[in-house]
Amino acid sequence: MSTPLPAAQPSSRLWQLDALRGLMLVLMTLTHVPTRLTQPMGQPFGFVSAAFGFVFISGMLVGRVHGRRLLSQGVDVVRSALVRRAGLVYLCHIGLLGLLFFILPLTGVVPEKGPLPGMMWFFQMDPWAAVLGGMALIHQPGLLDILPMYVVFLLVSPLILAALAKGYWRSVAGFTVGLWLFAQTGLAGQWYDAFVASTGFPIIRGATGAFDLLAWQLVWTTGLLGGWAMANGWTPNVGRWPAGWVIGALTFAAIGFAWRHAIGQIPFPEHEALNAWFDKWHMGPLRLLNATALLLLVLRFGPRGETAARLTRPLQFLGKASLPVFCTHAVVAMLVLGIAGDEIRDRAYLIDVAILAVTFSALFAAAWVAGRRRKPVRPAARTCASTA
């Protein structure tokens, strides 16, 4: 067993993390709300999605905030706080499901074909299984499959933080990498198919969401480990990094960026088997390397100073209210898919401009309302006020 890191003095909120999470929310919105920006802004930095950044940064914020809270107040306080947060995220998930299943069909905006009815295919096939499965976080329609994963990650985070507090960070790191490696085999999906076939369980694998939980837990846990280290006083000493690290990261990131924009978001259009190396849903190894390269570059060259802080305030504003902003983006995306559809070739440019203006007005309005509802925080507790 290794020795726990010494506890550091609480520090102020890092505006860079809020800005990065705000940027991920903007990119997800541009990807999910269909306009002429959807394709070019999908994975704009390489074969790395905004969902990756959102999950990683959220895990880091949980590790940083609740790592300090665990050190000062104990694991029970952390468990209670994260269970409450998971409950809030769960209620948001149920609300979005209710909107998709019951409210939108009453408005008449659901077309016969397209992405929106595609999100409802399982509900139309088996309404009871869809509703109960959705409530149990098993059935996850497209676009609404991030929050269920987030609920699970929040609930297991107290266990991970408690293990880190006891010095078991090597065991945590080994276990999370082992789960990711297992996810690459595809055996979990095959076992689930066998379970459905043998028991008659009504929710088939195609209705359980696109994200592979066993693969994506690596993203969350890695962020959690980084946040825990920050809570214990660690800061990346980028000035002493070996030049080879920086050159390697720049090379890999540049290749990923050029490849994505030259070929598209599918790296091997004519060789499907090779795409598994870049697979988004199972977090393929080359996608993971691409994300690692970008992370190193952000740490090395990321924004610093008062000027950068001022310029990124709109992103920080969105990032601080990530949950209401995320839910608002999902609602707007469903409405736009229902009203305007995803066919943009014959759509007037002004319509796209109007869609984006209304969309981002809604996001900033949601962030403003969330900020107004946020309770004042006592100075002594201010550093633990942020929740991911």
Side-chain angles (χ1 to χ4, degrees):
M1 182 180 75
S2 57
T3 304
L5 295 169
Q9 294 296 320
S11 58
S12 60
R13 184 168 187 149
L14 289 179
W15 61 264
Q16 291 94 335
L17 294 181
D18 287 327
L20 284 171
R21 190 157 61 166
L23 175 62
M24 297 304 108
L25 288 164
V26 168
L27 292 176
M28 278 194 284
T29 301
L30 292 174
T31 301
H32 295 152
V33 176
T35 66
R36 287 174 174 82
L37 293 180
T38 295
Q39 286 300 319
M41 297 308 294
Q43 304 186 138
F45 305 118
F47 295 105
V48 180
S49 66
F52 178 98
F54 184 78
V55 172
F56 178 83
I57 296 166
S58 296
M60 180 171 284
L61 282 167
V62 167
R64 183 172 184 265
V65 171
H66 294 284
R68 289 201 303 267
R69 180 174 285 178
L70 186 147
L71 293 170
S72 61
Q73 302 177 41
V75 68
D76 291 337
V77 173
V78 168
R79 183 183 300 109
S80 178
L82 290 179
V83 168
R84 286 196 303 270
R85 183 65 174 178
L88 178 60
V89 176
Y90 177 78
L91 290 177
C92 292
H93 168 65
I94 295 301
L96 291 173
L97 283 180
L99 174 67
L100 175 65
F101 290 160
F102 302 112
I103 298 177
L104 285 181
L106 296 178
T107 65
V109 302
V110 180
E112 294 183 0
K113 298 180 180 180
L116 190 57
M119 293 169 61
M120 302 176 63
W121 71 270
F122 188 69
F123 175 76
Q124 294 171 344
M125 183 179 74
D126 192 338
W128 277 107
V131 171
L132 295 178
M135 294 176 65
L137 304 180
I138 302 173
H139 171 48
Q140 300 172 18
L143 185 63
L144 306 184
D145 46 5
I146 290 183
L147 292 187
M149 182 169 62
Y150 198 36
V151 170
V152 174
F153 292 160
L154 284 170
L155 291 176
V156 301
S157 290
L159 298 174
I160 300 173
L161 290 173
L164 294 175
K166 295 178 181 179
Y168 293 116
W169 67 269
R170 288 188 178 88
S171 299
V172 170
F175 186 71
T176 189
V177 171
L179 285 180
W180 174 79
L181 288 171
F182 176 73
Q184 304 311 302
T185 68
L187 288 175
Q190 296 175 25
W191 291 349
Y192 185 84
D193 290 340
F195 168 76
V196 170
S198 61
T199 64
F201 190 69
I203 304 175
I204 59 177
R205 181 155 49 123
T208 58
F211 291 94
D212 186 333
L213 192 69
L214 296 180
W216 276 75
Q217 56 78 34
L218 176 66
V219 181
W220 176 273
T221 306
T222 304
L224 198 70
L225 283 164
W228 167 259
M230 294 166 67
N232 282 271
W234 173 81
T235 54
N237 192 356
V238 296
R240 295 187 178 182
W241 282 4
W245 289 18
V246 179
I247 294 173
L250 282 169
T251 302
F252 204 98
I255 292 173
F257 178 86
W259 192 350
R260 179 263 177 266
H261 288 283
I263 303 299
Q265 296 190 52
I266 301 176
F268 299 101
E270 298 180 1
H271 302 279
E272 183 62 31
L274 295 177
N275 288 323
W277 289 86
F278 287 93
D279 189 82
K280 172 182 177 180
W281 312 116
H282 303 286
M283 196 51 58
L286 290 182
R287 176 175 289 267
L288 199 58
L289 285 175
N290 198 170
T292 302
L294 291 174
L295 174 61
L296 291 175
L297 294 179
V298 169
L299 289 174
R300 179 64 180 85
F301 302 107
R304 297 173 177 85
E306 291 299 321
T307 300
R310 287 194 299 270
L311 291 175
T312 59
R313 279 176 184 168
L315 294 177
Q316 297 173 47
F317 187 63
L318 295 177
K320 289 177 181 178
S322 60
L323 182 58
V325 170
F326 178 89
C327 293
T328 301
H329 116 276
V331 171
V332 173
M334 287 189 284
L335 289 173
V336 173
L337 286 170
I339 297 172
D342 66 335
E343 183 55 61
I344 61 174
R345 287 177 297 182
D346 298 325
R347 184 189 297 170
Y349 283 92
L350 286 178
I351 294 179
D352 277 0
V353 172
I355 288 173
L356 291 173
V358 171
T359 297
F360 283 98
S361 296
L363 298 190
F364 279 98
W368 181 82
V369 171
R372 296 279 293 180
R373 292 174 61 88
R374 195 175 295 126
K375 295 180 180 179
V377 181
R378 296 189 304 274
R382 189 175 302 278
T383 57
C384 289
S386 167
T387 47

